[in-house]
Amino acid sequence: MAKLNVNGIEYDIVDLPLEAGEHLDRLPYIHRILLENVIRTGGADAGRAKAAILGWLATGTSEVEIPFLPNRVLMHDTTCGPALVDFAGMRSALAEAGGDPAVLNPVVPVDVSTDHSVAVDAFGASGSVEHNMRREFERNAERYRFMKWASNTLADFRVHPPGTGIMHTLNLERLATVVAARKGNGTCWAMPDTLIGTDSHTPMINGIGVLAWGVGGLEAESVLFGMPVTLRVPDVVGVRLTGRLKDGVLATDLALMVTHILRKADLQDKYVEFFGPGVSTLTAGDRAVVANMTPEFGANSGYFPIDGRTIDYLKATGRPEAGTELVESYSKRVGLWFDPSAEPRYTSVVDIDLSAVEPSLAGPRRPQDRIAVSATAGAIRAMKKDHAWQKGGGEPGDGAVAIAAITSCTNTTDPRLLIAAGLLARKACALGLRPPHWVKTSLAPGSPTAERYLRRAGLLADLEAVGFGIVGYGCTTCIGNSGPLTEPISEAMAKREILPAAVLSGNRNFPGRVHPQLEAGFLASPPLVVAFALAGTVDLDLLTDPIGVAADGRPVTLSMLWPTALEIDAALAHAADVGDYAPAYDEAEANRVWQALDAPTTTLFPWDGASTYIRRPPFASFGSGTLLGHYRAHPILVLGDDITTDHISPAGAIPAASEAGRYLVEHRADPADLNVYSSRRGNFEVMVRGLFTNRTVRNMAGSNVPPGSTLHVPSGEVMPLWAAAERYRAERQAVVVVAGERYGMGSSRDWAAKGVAMLGVRAVLALSFERIHRWNLIGMGILPMRLPTDFGPTELALQPGDQIEVKVAEAAISPRCPVEIVIRRRDGDDLHFSATAAIETTAEVEILRAGGILPLILGRAMARSGSGDA
């Protein structure tokens, strides 16, 4: 340990140069932060963990586990909701067992952003933001009272009300300190600011040098109750950046290029760190856009070390001078300050030349499918119906832009991108261009500050003139809260079966994610979103075809509208004001409607049996033991590749005619406004009825099985999944899920695992898993297993009546151990092979043996309450 004096304040610090010696410069910056953490928090285990991190340098990989204790946790309203329902349920279970429910309290600070519930009901008119926020409160008042109950009764639990922006933007502009100062026991420690967040895009904060990654709500709950994140000393892939971006190329284009390149690499359970001279040419805003796409390129992090650009950003967003001085002094003292000439040891290295990046989009189905701006027409060609309706006569045709949304923290947090969109809108206005009447346009910034700098630049009026008025400060379209389509699009889809598309500045474009009726979606920079809105179609070459016709009859092309770097920089210089940030957030935090909400203050939450939003979950209990063992199971779901958490557990609107909708209507909900699935995650009855209902899901457990359904083998009936699960449960028959590559990719939502657990699933066998969902399955006591390459769903060719025998003894389970599998064919021709337990740490083994993380938390809480065993 050592001392550091900054502005007359003396801090205790971990002396990394002393601890690592000659090895420090060879360590990735990520490992330097992990080393500091284990030395400071590891106690008796610190020496072993330190040796493991330094030992990693020999090979660039390791099987040794280390603990990691983040300084804080970040959540949003639709991931904190299920976690809080778990909290409340566990408190009730603990009290019923004779324990003290008050022992269940967070031990680290928690910030919750209320950003996932606002929807685009109104758009393109003045007063849209007020209308949408009013509807948000009308729909979600019960949930918001529940969140206020949590802030009343849980320690260090702070809720940021609607209107305060998107969690990752809030983190960048207001919460993150980069270097944290903590007082205790008469001393003041300085340390790296670290966190985990219950959203897969948490790594956006990596853009300013804060190490963080996304986890599921279940893993976050374990951290809140004092358990460290346990991980193997991570593999780190270094991405060497050289050159600089050309004029006309934006941060979005770079992010899509990085995603396209890195998704081809094997980044499962690996971290990414950017290095090289090109890093220094990127602003903090550029870096944050790239880091935001971390889950899309398949890694745990997209880390950019601390440097002068970090300090510039902290100053520009109004951080206290004393804080920025601490960041610089501390980072330079302990070896966390970025050196563009350094070449640390990495597991592997990928090279990217920034000067080779071109304007681009991604789509029409996956964020890694990067295409040229001119290639959208070709990209949707195979998706069109045989009739091939073309745009004409003032009506939408195939490729019509149904939704054009400047949305998401990804591309609205960097002011430069919004300024670019505003400048394009200004040029379009001057030429008399407007989007066609069928395009639903919206602007939903990640920060309440955006309105101030856009208005100061004179660009807000230009954006409003082409339909892009502010509709709210939240995730909106990016997570499926896009509201209804326009009538011309709905009518054209119903009568002519056109193929419309969404163009958005978000981070995901999976079929059905943006809107349940839209299968085609393109990710684009904000100015390109405006350009496609003006064109009204993606069925064109945007680089050469006219976007529209000027008032004087001239055809207008993209080159006539596209802003130069100099124009963007000049407008941004005029717009920026460091004094905007604190007042904008303070005003949003003082939301009068939020403050007027009444909420309980009791230790135990008063459950309401009539509620359709908050129901006590059956899994927030001491449980019934492990799901491991030797058993035969029916495959209740047999799925292909790229099944996302959106496919598994939807977030968007609940149709009245769906299983979930019928349940809600039966329980007196308004069939005309059932809200969205993400708002109902506190009600397990609703969520289990929404599982796998995405229209593109194909369940190969039987022939012609509709989405959300399965074949109940004993009866031969096709029925909703939840009903079949109840039948199997009553018959005491086990069920499993079989899937292909990248199972569980996408959002961090833990309901994708909770829902599968509610179906009674004991194991999921897939060719590969996305990291967060894999952990969430384990958190629910479900064993994830990796199938051998030649034994995927297609090769297994499972038929109705085939059963899967799993032999996994509780005592024998260990990280990445083989598991004996037998396919018991109904015709008697059995198939034997070994799968691999997708378990990474001994801590995960402990969770599986306990039957899940919630029983494990409750067991430890019972012991702490002094009431003996439950």
Side-chain angles (χ1 to χ4, degrees):
M1 305 303 172
K3 301 289 185 181
L4 174 68
N5 192 296
V6 182
N7 289 326
I9 301 176
E10 189 171 72
Y11 300 92
D12 285 341
I13 60 170
V14 172
D15 191 342
L16 284 179
L18 178 64
E19 296 284 352
E22 62 183 6
H23 302 298
L24 184 63
D25 289 344
R26 295 184 61 223
L27 283 174
Y29 290 87
I30 289 172
H31 283 60
R32 300 178 199 188
I33 295 171
L34 294 175
L35 179 61
E36 189 280 341
N37 192 276
V38 298
I39 292 173
R40 178 171 44 81
T41 68
D45 200 36
R48 182 199 62 81
K50 171 186 171 180
I53 293 172
L54 296 180
W56 176 91
L57 286 168
T59 61
T61 191
S62 176
E63 297 297 317
V64 182
E65 298 171 19
I66 60 170
F68 172 71
L69 280 171
N71 297 340
R72 54 194 179 94
V73 172
L74 185 64
M75 310 179 92
H76 60 70
D77 53 304
T78 62
T79 52
C80 94
L84 292 179
V85 169
D86 293 347
F87 281 15
M90 287 191 292
R91 277 190 167 187
S92 293
L94 193 59
E96 290 162 358
D100 178 7
V103 303
L104 285 171
N105 236 322
V107 298
V108 295
V110 184
D111 282 282
V112 176
S113 169
T114 313
D115 59 11
H116 269 55
S117 297
V118 62
V120 187
D121 294 304
F123 71 100
S126 61
S128 293
V129 65
E130 291 80 12
H131 175 89
N132 293 332
M133 287 191 69
R134 182 170 65 253
R135 294 293 292 123
E136 176 184 2
F137 273 98
E138 290 170 358
R139 290 176 176 135
N140 299 288
E142 183 180 349
R143 289 175 51 236
Y144 292 170
R145 289 190 184 96
F146 181 54
M147 291 163 62
K148 288 194 75 173
W149 165 78
S151 63
N152 288 338
T153 190
L154 300 178
D156 283 329
F157 191 93
R158 180 171 54 170
V159 178
H160 303 272
T164 51
I166 301 174
M167 62 187 294
H168 309 304
T169 311
L170 172 69
N171 197 20
L172 275 163
E173 294 183 351
R174 191 163 172 90
L175 302 180
T177 58
V178 183
V179 172
R182 296 284 186 273
K183 294 181 179 179
N185 299 322
T187 63
C188 185
W189 276 89
M191 65 195 73
D193 181 14
T194 58
L195 70 141
I196 57 168
T198 59
D199 186 275
S200 56
H201 295 101
T202 298
M204 188 174 196
I205 200 67
N206 292 176
I208 61 169
V210 175
L211 182 60
W213 58 87
V215 298
L218 292 163
E219 188 169 8
E221 288 177 50
S222 69
V223 172
L224 294 183
F225 292 121
M227 301 180 191
V229 176
T230 303
L231 66 157
R232 289 184 297 120
V233 180
D235 291 359
V236 179
V237 175
V239 178
R240 182 191 287 112
L241 300 181
T242 55
R244 63 173 59 243
L245 298 177
K246 293 181 292 192
D247 190 10
V249 175
L250 299 173
T252 311
D253 305 313
L254 173 60
L256 295 179
M257 171 70 91
V258 169
T259 301
H260 177 71
I261 291 172
L262 294 186
R263 194 71 203 193
K264 297 175 182 178
D266 177 17
L267 295 180
Q268 188 168 323
D269 285 318
K270 294 178 182 177
Y271 291 66
V272 163
E273 179 173 295
F274 295 92
F275 74 107
V279 170
S280 299
T281 70
L282 300 175
T283 67
D286 295 333
R287 299 172 186 181
V289 175
V290 174
N292 182 281
M293 295 292 283
T294 292
E296 281 66 49
F297 56 71
N300 294 8
S301 75
Y303 186 76
F304 289 87
I306 302 164
D307 67 357
R309 298 282 194 166
T310 308
I311 304 301
D312 292 343
Y313 182 81
L314 294 175
K315 291 178 179 178
T317 50
R319 292 338 204 272
E321 184 177 351
T324 59
E325 290 179 359
L326 174 61
V327 170
E328 184 167 355
S329 297
Y330 173 83
S331 301
K332 289 180 175 178
R333 169 63 178 80
V334 301
L336 296 181
W337 190 262
F338 178 62
D339 177 0
S341 65
E343 295 269 343
R345 167 73 153 102
Y346 292 111
T347 306
S348 61
V349 172
V350 176
D351 285 284
I352 295 178
D353 180 0
L354 297 178
S355 65
V357 180
E358 299 286 347
S360 59
L361 297 90
R365 292 178 178 271
R366 302 187 305 177
Q368 65 263 42
D369 295 333
R370 176 181 172 272
I371 61 172
V373 174
S374 59
T376 51
I380 65 166
R381 188 171 296 124
M383 300 176 69
K384 293 180 180 180
K385 304 279 187 176
D386 291 338
H387 57 63
W389 287 102
Q390 299 300 317
K391 176 185 174 185
E395 295 301 324
D398 282 332
V401 175
I403 291 174
I406 301 176
T407 179
S408 173
C409 52
T410 312
N411 290 300
T412 70
T413 301
D414 183 2
R416 207 166 185 275
L417 293 173
L418 291 188
I419 293 291
L423 289 171
L424 190 144
R426 173 175 289 173
K427 294 182 180 185
C429 288
L431 292 169
L433 299 188
R434 297 290 185 276
H437 62 287
W438 60 76
V439 183
K440 183 170 188 176
T441 51
S442 61
L443 166 59
S447 167
T449 309
E451 187 272 342
R452 298 185 180 217
Y453 65 72
L454 286 173
R455 189 177 299 281
R456 185 177 298 112
L459 296 174
L460 187 59
D462 295 307
L463 285 163
E464 290 172 341
V466 293
F468 287 90
I470 294 176
V471 297
Y473 300 96
C475 302
T476 61
T477 301
C478 186
I479 58 159
N481 290 352
S482 52
L485 300 175
T486 62
E487 187 59 35
I489 289 288
S490 296
E491 183 176 326
M493 292 182 72
K495 293 182 177 179
R496 295 188 280 121
E497 295 186 299
I498 70 163
L499 174 75
V503 183
L504 67 153
S505 64
N507 41 51
R508 290 184 179 139
N509 54 346
F510 306 131
R513 177 180 171 89
V514 172
H515 190 282
Q517 291 179 272
L518 299 182
E519 294 188 25
F522 293 92
L523 305 181
S525 64
L528 279 179
V529 172
V530 178
F532 275 104
L534 294 168
T537 182
V538 299
D539 199 13
L540 83 169
D541 180 340
L542 194 74
L543 292 182
T544 59
D545 291 342
I547 290 174
V549 178
D552 60 6
R554 285 181 298 152
V556 178
T557 60
L558 183 64
S559 61
M560 298 166 64
L561 304 178
W562 198 256
T564 67
L566 288 176
E567 289 174 323
I568 296 171
D569 291 341
L572 183 57
H574 175 65
D577 187 337
V578 70
D580 282 344
Y581 289 86
Y585 278 105
D586 290 343
E587 182 178 312
E589 294 275 2
N591 187 304
R592 287 179 292 178
V593 181
W594 174 266
Q595 292 178 346
L597 284 176
D598 61 319
T601 58
T602 54
T603 300
L604 294 177
F605 180 73
W607 302 101
D608 178 0
S611 173
T612 59
Y613 280 96
I614 310 296
R615 295 283 307 280
R616 182 174 172 181
F619 44 76
S621 65
F622 286 94
S624 54
T626 185
L627 297 177
L628 301 172
H630 184 176
Y631 55 88
R632 286 192 184 187
H634 292 283
I636 195 169
L637 285 150
V638 181
L639 306 161
D641 295 341
D642 296 315
I643 294 296
T644 72
T645 52
D646 284 276
H647 290 119
I648 302 169
S649 182
I654 302 174
S658 66
E659 290 291 320
R662 283 192 286 270
Y663 166 85
L664 288 168
V665 172
E666 289 170 4
H667 289 76
R668 300 183 179 181
D670 179 3
D673 192 2
L674 297 177
N675 214 331
V676 293
Y677 280 103
S678 60
S679 72
R680 300 279 186 179
R681 289 177 182 160
N683 185 337
F684 64 91
E685 297 281 12
V686 173
M687 298 308 295
V688 76
R689 286 165 170 79
L691 294 170
F692 295 94
T693 53
N694 184 291
R695 61 191 292 187
T696 64
V697 171
R698 182 186 171 211
N699 183 4
M700 297 177 284
S703 60
N704 300 316
V705 175
S709 301
T710 193
L711 174 69
H712 176 250
V713 172
S715 68
E717 295 179 56
V718 174
M719 61 182 67
L721 278 165
W722 68 271
E726 289 188 354
R727 287 261 197 109
Y728 281 126
R729 188 176 292 111
E731 296 159 355
R732 297 182 180 276
Q733 297 196 47
V735 294
V736 296
V737 171
V738 179
E741 296 281 8
R742 298 170 293 277
Y743 180 75
M745 65 188 294
S747 300
S748 67
R749 62 192 67 163
D750 54 4
W751 251 106
K754 287 177 176 177
V756 170
M758 290 289 294
L759 296 178
V761 170
R762 295 182 69 167
V764 176
L765 298 91
L767 286 169
S768 64
F769 296 86
E770 289 291 282
R771 174 185 60 88
I772 295 177
H773 185 64
R774 181 195 66 80
W775 201 102
N776 280 340
L777 289 171
I778 291 171
M780 290 306 295
I782 299 169
L783 176 63
M785 289 182 278
R786 293 189 182 93
L787 292 166
T789 303
D790 297 331
F791 290 83
T794 301
E795 292 80 5
L796 290 177
L798 295 165
Q799 300 296 314
D802 292 350
Q803 289 186 291
I804 299 177
E805 184 174 352
V806 178
K807 301 178 181 181
V808 55
E810 179 184 347
I813 194 75
S814 64
R816 298 175 297 286
C817 69
V819 178
E820 185 179 352
I821 304 293
V822 183
I823 306 298
R824 300 292 183 184
R825 306 285 190 189
R826 61 179 180 177
D827 61 9
D829 186 16
D830 296 343
L831 174 66
H832 296 253
F833 63 90
S834 287
T836 302
I839 305 170
E840 294 299 319
T841 67
T842 55
E844 292 174 1
V845 171
E846 182 183 13
I847 293 168
L848 286 167
R849 287 174 175 163
I853 190 64
L854 302 184
L856 184 61
I857 290 171
L858 272 171
R860 294 183 177 184
M862 194 70 184
R864 287 202 310 275
S865 71
S867 298
D869 295 330

